[in-house]
Amino acid sequence: MFRRLKQDGNETVFLGNFAIYRRTVRNISKTDYRKKIYILGLPFSVYSHSEIDGKSKWRLLGIQISKKRPVAAVSPEESCLNDSFMRLWGHDGDTARIVYLATGRSRRPGLPEPKKVLLVGHEFSVTGAPAFLLDLAKLLISEGYRVDIAVKESADLSAIHMYDGIDADVALLPDSTECFDGAGSCVRGYDLVIVNTIVMGAYAELCQKLNIPHIWYIHEDLPSIQTFFRIIGGCRERFEKDSGNIVCVSRYVSDCVYGEYRIRCRYINNFVNDFYNPADTEKQDSSEPVSGSVRTFAVVGSVYERKAQITAAAAFMYLSAVPEYKGRWKLLFIGNHGRAASNPDLGEKLDKVTRNLPDIVWCGQVMENKWDLFRTADFFIVPSLEESSSLVAIEAAMLGKPVIVSSHVGAKYLTEGGAGFVFEPGDAAGLRELVMKCINMPREEYSRMSRQIRLNYEKTSTPAIYMRNLDEAIADATERCRSSTDAPESSGTGIQALKYLGQGGNTISFDKFEYVKFADFADFAPETDGRQAKEPAGQKALLPVGVVVPVYNGVEHLKVLIPSLFKNADLPHRFIFVDDCSKSETADFLADAIKGHDDCILLRNSENLGFVKSVNRGAAKALEESCGSFVMLNSDTEVPSGWLGRLIRPMAEDETVASVTPLSNRATVFSFPFMNDDNDDLFLKEFGLEGINAAIRSACSSRHPEIPTGHGFCMAVSGRAWKKIGGLNEALFGRGYGEENEWCQRAELDGFRNVLNPNLYVAHHEKGSFTSEERKANCEASLEVLSVMFPSYMQRVYDFTRENPSADAIAATYAALALQKGCRPEVFTDPELFRKRLSGEDGVFLIGQSEVTKVAVKLLGYVIFIGNARNIEKIGLSIEPKAE
């Protein structure tokens, strides 16, 4: 229950703690706050909310400096509010029932007064720059400094507990010095001010103006610095002017700043406290990996685009389908994901697409057993697109764990001496190669790397080394002030000046920066233009051809498919039917239909396994039968004469071809005549399967355009490629849909190609595999997986549909079908007559003066235009126009 007081006719509501604040204030827009003042009594401050002219305003009324200092009021006029607040909570003199954040001092009497240091931070958090500030405070206190900490007032207070127990007073301060009348008095009360992150640069500028010794820590990476320079007026000038006091957290950031702006800054590598256990070395020198026969990799951090967990996920999702590496690795994602992540949508997406992979484990945020969990890992991966340092990499080095980092991670210096590996940001294929190298690494080599990275930590990143470098920076900052003509004022109030804190200026959310330079993920697939094809192995190497047909019910489709297979097989083959626990009607029909056919093999699943596992089982049988290639073929298809030879021909001509897909009536981007259209069965009924194929063969060239993916309704597969990269990914794609897309992308990563054969048309009735509801759900799930593993995949499909390399050949086939129907070519020179004729009956219409410039074909009510009129010469049409 809230306690309410009446004051000047307005109702005042006191919120006693942060939990009550969250429950009550989170729905500000849904509640009428007019004539109400809401006061939040946090451990060390008092906030008010009021509504003026319909606009919500928040203001910090006062701040609690320490246990023995009452809340300092904003102004005498508002002191009654604070008095009421204190009475409400039983404040009486020097006693308080509120648990304040400030803990007071515990110095032993008789010691000389230590140097006073103010640490200025931008937020409360147990990770990143705020966590560094906490460690720095502890380090300075251990070295005899007296430390106060001030964090900007707009910070999220959910991690306020991070300063519990530290021997320092903690206060809030405005985001901007412009609205802080006591700012100068505050900073003059200290021998040194350390400003943490570029966000709080206004306080570094204030120290510079007042000639107060200070250090300005830059934790941000170059894209963040560029963003600040762009959106904060005078930030770059401030940066240049104060460069002597700036300290970057790694040489990488320092070099980036110099390369971009020709500003030379000092750098001090970050540090972490040493929790190394010598017993870990004994484990690492044993005959087995730390985690046993399995290599364990760890990626640490809240899910965020910049952290690029998506790159690591893509690399390991690929490995999940490679037989050689199954059961030999484990990946731990340590940190917030899902709704608690920096990007909850991305976190939930990654969790969802990896849910069926038992070797990828989401550990969530880990606090109490952090080091125990870290010690179970063999390697740490830091895949960030940009990372100024990486405390995770330093912690790994402290524990003697080799690291794999992107080249844009500041702590990459820890890999020197062969203590780790470096790859390019966003390059999942490059990361995958390094992971495979780590999995296959001999124990002796791993032990050497472990010792080397521990040595690198001892040379660069211990608290002692850090403090030595910091002392030099402090001495230089102090000397600069002494040598300046503007001597600093000798006294100030310190954080006692934080009496009037005002409303603050505009704030910039550090977690919402736009990382411009690396906004897009790299294309994981290598470029294929200009690839030199090897000498073709020839058709003989592909024979016999296995035809793998998964069957789950749909007896009506088998009655169409099986006769077409028997009638139209034109090469040595093995028909392999995999009955996925169909009902008796289908199972009995299938057994009877292939009975007595030596070229048929029937496999039965004792339980329903789904399309993916059934294909993998059939493919394994095909390879066991010495098939050099095989076709995955839906049970709801129908094949024409000569189909097998035409389908595998591209693979016979070029052994780099991993898959071949034909045209069909329903095959998304490979549909004829209209791309991404079901096309019903109108053309099949009108011309028949053989009629369409006759037109295609007469109109299309022998060119086989490269495609971003094959289509599993009918896809020829190279046995060589299948053996090298493994089969369909059962864990990721479950019962089916999208599995062939992922397989084709993996094939590309290993140097293979996927092509379209526009000289073949296979009918696809698309009724036998999934219901429409199942198809929709499976499609949505598979697209999420593909977007994680291959971020450029959908763009490549879009580019293919836009360019449509077989459009002219398809249009020429359309014209050939019109000729089959008996349509006579009509030639026009008058554009108006040409347009009128298109609204009439079917036909082939040409227009031009000295030569044909446009061809339109109207067939079954649909019109297609042929862009290149010369293509119709193949079907016997003259392109010399005649008068109407």
Side-chain angles (χ1 to χ4, degrees), residues 278-308:
D280 293 338
T281 302
E282 298 175 7
K283 294 180 181 179
Q284 291 160 3
D285 287 336
S286 64
S287 59
E288 293 295 336
V290 173
S291 53
S293 60
V294 176
R295 289 287 188 196
T296 301
F297 300 81
V299 177
V300 183
S302 181
V303 174
Y304 191 34
E305 288 92 339
R306 180 173 62 92
K307 294 292 186 179

Coordinates of all heavy atoms in Angstrom, one line a residue, residues 278-308:
P278 N 46.6 -23.2 -10.4 CA 47.7 -24.0 -11.0 C 47.2 -25.5 -11.4 O 47.8 -26.1 -12.3 CB 48.8 -24.0 -10.0 CG 48.6 -22.8 -9.2 CD 47.1 -22.6 -9.1
A279 N 46.2 -25.9 -10.7 CA 45.7 -27.3 -11.0 C 45.2 -27.4 -12.4 O 45.1 -28.4 -13.0 CB 44.7 -27.7 -9.9
D280 N 44.7 -26.2 -12.9 CA 44.2 -26.2 -14.3 C 45.2 -26.6 -15.3 O 44.9 -27.3 -16.3 CB 43.6 -24.8 -14.6 CG 42.4 -24.5 -13.8 OD1 41.8 -25.4 -13.3 OD2 42.1 -23.3 -13.6
T281 N 46.5 -26.2 -15.0 CA 47.6 -26.6 -15.9 C 47.8 -28.1 -16.0 O 48.0 -28.7 -17.0 CB 48.9 -25.9 -15.5 OG1 48.7 -24.5 -15.5 CG2 50.0 -26.2 -16.4
E282 N 47.6 -28.7 -14.8 CA 47.8 -30.2 -14.8 C 46.7 -30.8 -15.6 O 47.0 -31.8 -16.3 CB 47.7 -30.6 -13.3 CG 48.8 -30.1 -12.4 CD 48.6 -30.5 -11.0 OE1 47.7 -31.3 -10.7 OE2 49.4 -30.0 -10.1
K283 N 45.5 -30.3 -15.6 CA 44.4 -30.9 -16.4 C 44.7 -30.7 -17.9 O 44.5 -31.6 -18.7 CB 43.1 -30.2 -16.0 CG 42.6 -30.5 -14.6 CD 41.2 -29.8 -14.4 CE 40.7 -30.1 -13.0 NZ 39.5 -29.4 -12.7
Q284 N 45.2 -29.5 -18.2 CA 45.5 -29.2 -19.6 C 46.6 -30.0 -20.1 O 46.8 -30.2 -21.3 CB 45.7 -27.7 -19.8 CG 44.4 -26.9 -19.5 CD 44.7 -25.4 -19.2 OE1 45.8 -25.0 -19.2 NE2 43.7 -24.7 -18.9
D285 N 47.5 -30.4 -19.3 CA 48.6 -31.3 -19.7 C 48.3 -32.7 -19.7 O 49.1 -33.6 -20.1 CB 49.8 -31.0 -18.8 CG 50.5 -29.7 -19.0 OD1 50.3 -29.1 -20.1 OD2 51.1 -29.2 -18.1
S286 N 47.1 -33.1 -19.4 CA 46.7 -34.5 -19.4 C 46.5 -34.9 -20.8 O 46.5 -34.2 -21.8 CB 45.4 -34.7 -18.5 OG 44.3 -34.0 -19.1
S287 N 46.2 -36.2 -21.0 CA 46.1 -36.8 -22.3 C 44.7 -36.4 -23.0 O 44.6 -36.7 -24.2 CB 46.2 -38.3 -22.3 OG 45.2 -38.8 -21.4
E288 N 43.7 -35.9 -22.3 CA 42.4 -35.7 -22.9 C 42.1 -34.2 -22.8 O 42.7 -33.5 -21.9 CB 41.3 -36.5 -22.2 CG 41.5 -38.0 -22.4 CD 41.2 -38.3 -23.9 OE1 40.6 -37.6 -24.6 OE2 41.7 -39.4 -24.3
P289 N 41.2 -33.6 -23.6 CA 40.8 -32.3 -23.5 C 40.2 -32.1 -22.1 O 39.8 -33.0 -21.4 CB 39.7 -32.1 -24.6 CG 40.1 -33.2 -25.6 CD 40.6 -34.3 -24.8
V290 N 40.1 -30.8 -21.7 CA 39.6 -30.4 -20.4 C 38.2 -31.1 -20.2 O 37.9 -31.6 -19.1 CB 39.5 -28.9 -20.2 CG1 38.8 -28.5 -18.9 CG2 40.9 -28.3 -20.2
S291 N 37.4 -31.0 -21.2 CA 36.0 -31.5 -21.1 C 35.9 -33.0 -21.5 O 34.8 -33.5 -21.7 CB 35.1 -30.7 -21.9 OG 35.6 -30.6 -23.3
G292 N 37.0 -33.7 -21.6 CA 36.9 -35.1 -22.0 C 37.3 -35.2 -23.5 O 38.2 -34.6 -24.0
S293 N 36.6 -36.1 -24.2 CA 36.8 -36.3 -25.6 C 36.2 -35.3 -26.5 O 36.2 -35.4 -27.7 CB 36.3 -37.7 -26.0 OG 34.9 -37.8 -25.7
V294 N 35.5 -34.3 -25.9 CA 34.8 -33.3 -26.6 C 35.4 -31.9 -26.3 O 35.7 -31.6 -25.2 CB 33.3 -33.2 -26.1 CG1 32.6 -32.1 -26.8 CG2 32.6 -34.6 -26.4
R295 N 35.7 -31.2 -27.4 CA 36.2 -29.8 -27.3 C 35.0 -28.9 -27.0 O 34.0 -28.9 -27.7 CB 36.9 -29.4 -28.6 CG 38.2 -30.1 -28.9 CD 39.3 -29.6 -28.0 NE 40.6 -30.1 -28.4 CZ 41.6 -30.1 -27.6 NH1 41.6 -29.7 -26.4 NH2 42.8 -30.6 -28.1
T296 N 35.2 -28.1 -25.9 CA 34.1 -27.2 -25.5 C 34.5 -25.8 -25.8 O 35.6 -25.3 -25.4 CB 33.8 -27.3 -24.0 OG1 33.4 -28.7 -23.7 CG2 32.7 -26.4 -23.6
F297 N 33.7 -25.0 -26.5 CA 33.9 -23.7 -26.9 C 32.9 -22.8 -26.1 O 31.8 -23.2 -25.9 CB 33.8 -23.5 -28.4 CG 34.7 -24.3 -29.2 CD1 34.4 -25.6 -29.4 CD2 35.9 -23.8 -29.7 CE1 35.3 -26.4 -30.2 CE2 36.8 -24.5 -30.4 CZ 36.5 -25.9 -30.7
A298 N 33.3 -21.6 -25.7 CA 32.4 -20.7 -25.0 C 32.4 -19.3 -25.7 O 33.4 -18.8 -26.1 CB 32.9 -20.5 -23.6
V299 N 31.2 -18.8 -25.8 CA 31.0 -17.4 -26.3 C 30.2 -16.7 -25.2 O 29.2 -17.1 -24.8 CB 30.1 -17.4 -27.6 CG1 29.9 -15.9 -28.0 CG2 30.8 -18.1 -28.7
V300 N 30.8 -15.6 -24.7 CA 30.3 -14.9 -23.5 C 29.8 -13.5 -23.9 O 30.4 -12.8 -24.6 CB 31.4 -14.8 -22.4 CG1 30.8 -14.2 -21.2 CG2 31.9 -16.2 -22.1
G301 N 28.6 -13.2 -23.3 CA 28.1 -11.8 -23.5 C 26.6 -11.8 -23.9 O 26.1 -12.8 -24.4
S302 N 25.9 -10.8 -23.5 CA 24.5 -10.6 -23.8 C 24.4 -10.6 -25.4 O 25.2 -9.9 -26.0 CB 23.9 -9.3 -23.2 OG 22.6 -9.2 -23.5
V303 N 23.3 -11.2 -25.9 CA 23.1 -11.3 -27.3 C 22.9 -9.9 -27.9 O 22.0 -9.1 -27.4 CB 22.0 -12.2 -27.7 CG1 21.7 -12.2 -29.2 CG2 22.3 -13.6 -27.3
Y304 N 23.7 -9.5 -28.9 CA 23.6 -8.2 -29.5 C 24.3 -8.3 -30.9 O 25.2 -9.0 -31.1 CB 24.4 -7.2 -28.6 CG 24.3 -5.8 -28.9 CD1 23.1 -5.2 -29.4 CD2 25.3 -4.9 -28.6 CE1 23.0 -3.9 -29.6 CE2 25.2 -3.5 -28.9 CZ 24.0 -3.0 -29.4 OH 23.9 -1.7 -29.7
E305 N 23.8 -7.5 -31.8 CA 24.3 -7.5 -33.2 C 25.8 -7.3 -33.2 O 26.6 -8.1 -33.9 CB 23.7 -6.5 -34.1 CG 22.2 -6.8 -34.4 CD 21.2 -6.2 -33.5 OE1 21.7 -5.8 -32.4 OE2 20.1 -6.0 -33.8
R306 N 26.3 -6.4 -32.4 CA 27.7 -6.0 -32.4 C 28.6 -7.2 -31.9 O 29.7 -7.4 -32.3 CB 28.0 -4.7 -31.6 CG 29.4 -4.3 -31.6 CD 29.5 -3.0 -30.9 NE 29.1 -3.0 -29.5 CZ 29.8 -3.2 -28.5 NH1 31.1 -3.5 -28.6 NH2 29.3 -3.2 -27.2
K307 N 28.0 -7.9 -31.0 CA 28.7 -9.0 -30.4 C 28.8 -10.2 -31.3 O 29.6 -11.1 -31.1 CB 28.1 -9.5 -29.1 CG 28.1 -8.5 -28.0 CD 29.5 -8.3 -27.5 CE 29.5 -7.3 -26.2 NZ 30.9 -7.1 -25.7
A308 N 28.0 -10.3 -32.4 CA 28.1 -11.2 -33.5 C 28.0 -12.7 -33.0 O 28.7 -13.5 -33.6 CB 29.3 -11.0 -34.3

